[in-house]
């Protein structure tokens, strides 16, 4: 069965209350057309897992500005004033996670691991509520895996099997979220025939990708 | 001293700490100025937390997918390498970054750093800062000596939420260079025309004076 769907079909997989992982670093590497479908369908009460909440007019920032997100698990909110305002008004719950810890939690969630030990956050408020372990006389925090209902990826190109390649700094979280969600949808700039991507160049194996959308006009 | 001059002095001095071949991560703000003061013969590799080494100045070709950690257009020098965020932070945490230069709100005599949050006023999030301070081999804090209201930033004990505990190697301000040792702060360099007593009056933390104290380099 073909993995290719048209943009409107994304709506079939959306629902209020969903836990959604998004690729992107300050909006670069976020699937903007999928974001628009979520806005058009007024999906609400989203738990967002991403590096940051971007800007009010870019990437996941638009979902925040549109008040569709009720919880954000991110490493940074400073570039989106709407996140801060909603947080102060208790309209959005923000869980701030160090970026390295966040990406490793996602990697563990996709790799069948129960957790990992990191020195990041020792001595800071990040310790709160977590187990601290000492290994070889060094202190670590026990961090737990993160998974999502759905992961939305932006990639440069896909072949029809779903193998993905990325462009420069638009890669960031995308290859990791591809492993850690029950459904994975990739929005790409170009679709190529199976065999067109050298196996050594594939970054995300197609077996991880459920649906592919080509951006409008491709 | 004008704040802009202060920033230039700090950046210029920090640049002298970088060695040929170092892998360096510069935090946003003042630290990014350090790249502009690298001596000609010192070639370092800049790591950008959003997923590459070989960060360079934007060269005019617009690729919206090539940005630095502040989201601004960037360049990639020949020999650059791209990777995902898990690799980026494995490089950071795994000790593969030789030097990180970060801004600071407060540093104390135990080498604790606060630079990510002012409760009730500024909560941007920690981003990659907490990983950088535990992972980089050398952590240089580049900051103005005092806050805008004149209060001290080098304290006996940080009062703001910590970014890291006992992580700072070196502090560079427009007035002084300090190293952090297990016995506290050591004053290594002092700006020309500034006397130690005056420095003590605007530095809350006590400090020892290095036996090899010299005038601040890089002027």
């Amino acid at each position: 069965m073909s993995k290719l769907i048209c943009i409107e079909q994304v709506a079939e997989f959306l629902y209020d209350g969903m836990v959604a992982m998004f690729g992107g670093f300050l909006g670069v590497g976020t699937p903007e057309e999928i974001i628009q479908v979520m806005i058009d369908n007024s999906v609400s009460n989203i738990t967002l897992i991403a590096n940051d909440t971007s800007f009010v007019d870019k990437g996941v920032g638009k979902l925040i500005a549109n008040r569709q997100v009720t919880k954000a698990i991110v490493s940074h909110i400073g570039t989106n004033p709407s996140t801060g305002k909603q947080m102060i008004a208790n309209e959005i719950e923000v869980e701030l996670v160090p970026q390295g810890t966040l990406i490793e939690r996602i990697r563990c969630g996709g790799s069948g691991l129960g957790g990992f030990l990191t020195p990041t956050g020792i001595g800071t408020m990040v310790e709160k509520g977590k187990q601290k372990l000492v290994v070889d006389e060094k202190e670590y925090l026990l961090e737990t895996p993160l998974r999502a209902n759905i992961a939305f990826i932006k990639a440069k190109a896909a072949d029809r099997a779903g193998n993905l390649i990325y462009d420069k700094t638009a890669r960031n979280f995308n290859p990791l979220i591809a492993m850690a969600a029950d459904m994975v949808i990739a929005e790409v700039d170009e679709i190529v025939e199976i065999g067109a991507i050298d196996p050594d160049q594939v970054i995300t194996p197609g077996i991880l990708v459920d649906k592919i959308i080509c951006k409008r006009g491709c | 001293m004008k704040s802009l001059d202060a920033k230039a002095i700090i950046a210029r001095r920090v640049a002298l700490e970088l060695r040929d071949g170092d892998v360096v991560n510069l935090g946003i703000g003042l630290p990014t100025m350090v790249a502009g003061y690298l001596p000609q013969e010192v070639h370092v590799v800049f790591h950008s937390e959003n997923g590459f080494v070989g960060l360079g100045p934007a060269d005019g070709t617009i690729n919206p997918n090539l940005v630095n950690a502040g989201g601004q257009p960037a360049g990639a020098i020949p020999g650059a390498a791209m990777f995902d965020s898990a690799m980026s932070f494995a490089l950071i945490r795994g000790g593969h970054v030789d030097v990180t230069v970060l801004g600071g709100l407060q540093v104390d005599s135990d080498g604790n750093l606060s630079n990510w949050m002012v409760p009730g006023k500024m909560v941007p999030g920690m981003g990659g800062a907490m990983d950088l301070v535990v992972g980089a081999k050398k952590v240089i804090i580049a900051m103005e000596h005092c806050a805008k209201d004149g209060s001290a930033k080098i304290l006996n004990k940080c009062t703001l939420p910590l970014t890291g505990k006992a992580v700072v190697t070196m502090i560079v301000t427009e007035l002084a260079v300090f190293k952090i040792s297990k016995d506290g702060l050591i004053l290594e360099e002092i700006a020309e025309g500034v006397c130690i007593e005056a420095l003590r009056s605007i530095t809350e933390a006590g400090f020892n004076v290095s036996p090899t104290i010299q005038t601040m380099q890089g002027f």
Side-chain angles (χ1 to χ4, degrees):
Chain A
M1 182 166 65
S2 174
K3 295 186 178 185
L4 234 64
I5 60 172
C6 58
I7 189 72
E8 293 77 20
Q9 286 175 275
V10 173
E12 292 165 33
F13 306 103
L14 308 177
Y15 53 92
D16 295 343
M18 64 192 307
V19 179
M21 284 177 176
F22 273 92
F25 187 107
L26 295 178
V28 174
T30 298
E32 292 281 0
E33 305 212 351
I34 292 176
I35 296 273
Q36 194 55 51
V37 174
M38 293 186 89
I39 292 172
D40 293 342
N41 284 272
S42 304
V43 184
S44 67
N45 195 26
I46 299 167
T47 292
L48 169 73
I49 301 173
N51 179 60
D52 56 73
T53 57
S54 186
F55 307 94
V56 291
D57 57 353
K58 195 168 161 67
V60 299
K62 295 182 198 170
L63 295 174
I64 299 270
N66 214 30
R67 316 181 82 79
Q68 293 176 251
V69 174
T70 46
K71 179 166 175 172
I73 303 173
V74 291
S75 75
H76 198 265
I77 62 169
T79 49
N80 188 334
S82 184
T83 316
K85 284 198 187 95
Q86 291 179 57
M87 186 172 77
I88 288 165
N90 284 320
E91 289 158 6
I92 194 171
E93 182 192 339
V94 176
E95 183 183 324
L96 287 170
V97 183
Q99 198 178 148
T101 298
L102 180 58
I103 196 65
E104 198 62 30
R105 289 183 69 192
I106 294 169
R107 202 190 73 82
C108 281
S111 311
L113 298 175
F116 63 99
L117 300 179
T118 177
T120 300
I122 286 284
T124 77
M125 61 170 70
V126 165
E127 278 190 5
K128 195 169 169 199
K130 295 179 188 156
Q131 283 185 67
K132 214 190 297 192
L133 283 93
V134 176
V135 179
D136 288 345
E137 296 174 15
K138 187 167 166 172
E139 282 187 314
Y140 298 91
L141 293 180
L142 175 65
E143 296 279 358
T144 53
L146 265 178
R147 286 193 55 86
N149 299 125
I150 193 159
F152 295 114
I153 288 173
K154 178 66 207 276
K156 178 171 159 182
D159 66 17
R160 289 173 183 277
N163 291 308
L164 302 177
I165 59 173
Y166 300 96
D167 186 22
K168 308 286 184 308
T169 60
R171 190 188 307 194
N172 57 76
F173 274 46
N174 287 298
L176 291 312
I177 66 174
M179 299 159 64
D182 301 329
M183 153 99 21
V184 175
I185 304 184
E187 177 185 308
V188 305
D189 293 332
E190 190 188 356
I191 304 234
V192 299
E193 292 310 308
I194 291 179
I197 306 177
D198 184 315
D200 282 317
Q201 303 305 314
V202 172
I203 304 295
T204 298
I207 57 169
L208 295 172
V209 178
D210 296 296
K211 301 292 176 194
I212 312 162
I213 308 160
C214 199
K215 70 166 190 202
R216 268 178 238 283
C218 90
Chain B
M1 179 182 293
K2 283 216 302 278
S3 192
L4 188 59
D5 297 328
K7 289 185 165 81
I9 286 166
I10 296 164
R12 192 161 41 199
R13 177 59 187 86
V14 171
L16 297 181
E17 290 301 308
L18 304 186
R19 301 281 165 268
D20 203 51
D22 275 349
V23 177
V24 181
N25 183 299
L26 301 177
I28 53 171
L30 195 169
T32 56
M33 292 173 62
V34 171
Y37 290 101
L38 267 182
Q40 277 253 334
E41 67 279 8
V42 176
H43 298 102
V44 303
V45 174
F46 288 110
H47 170 279
S48 192
E49 73 184 27
N50 57 325
F52 67 119
V53 286
L55 168 68
D59 62 3
T61 59
I62 307 290
N63 180 349
N65 289 330
L66 184 57
V67 299
N68 62 23
Q72 297 308 302
I77 64 170
M82 302 286 154
F83 35 77
D84 64 38
S85 298
M87 169 65 100
S88 182
F89 280 83
L91 291 173
I92 289 172
R93 231 189 290 101
H96 305 284
V97 172
D98 296 295
V99 185
T100 186
V101 183
L102 297 172
L105 292 171
Q106 298 174 341
V107 183
D108 69 29
S109 45
D110 292 323
N112 298 324
L113 170 68
S114 294
N115 77 350
W116 73 280
M117 182 195 181
V118 181
K121 276 172 88 175
M122 186 192 86
V123 187
M126 69 291 276
M130 288 190 177
D131 293 284
L132 280 163
V133 296
V134 302
K137 293 202 192 103
K138 194 165 166 183
V139 177
I140 302 176
I141 303 305
M143 67 181 191
E144 293 182 65
H145 202 92
C146 299
K148 283 189 177 52
D149 63 1
S151 59
K153 295 172 70 173
I154 302 174
L155 309 176
N156 287 316
K157 196 170 155 78
C158 289
T159 57
L160 294 172
L162 294 188
T163 308
K165 188 169 109 164
V167 292
V168 177
T169 315
M170 184 178 191
I171 308 169
V172 176
T173 77
E174 74 280 16
L175 302 179
V177 176
F178 295 94
K179 292 236 166 92
I180 317 266
S181 74
K182 55 178 168 50
D183 302 315
L185 291 173
I186 302 175
L187 178 67
E188 297 281 344
E189 294 174 22
I190 190 163
E192 183 137 14
V194 179
C195 70
I196 293 178
E197 289 69 41
L199 194 66
R200 285 200 194 278
S201 71
I202 52 172
T203 308
E204 189 201 81
F207 54 84
N208 289 318
V209 178
S210 168
T212 53
I213 179 134
Q214 57 182 340
T215 309
M216 203 158 143
Q217 305 291 287
F219 269 74

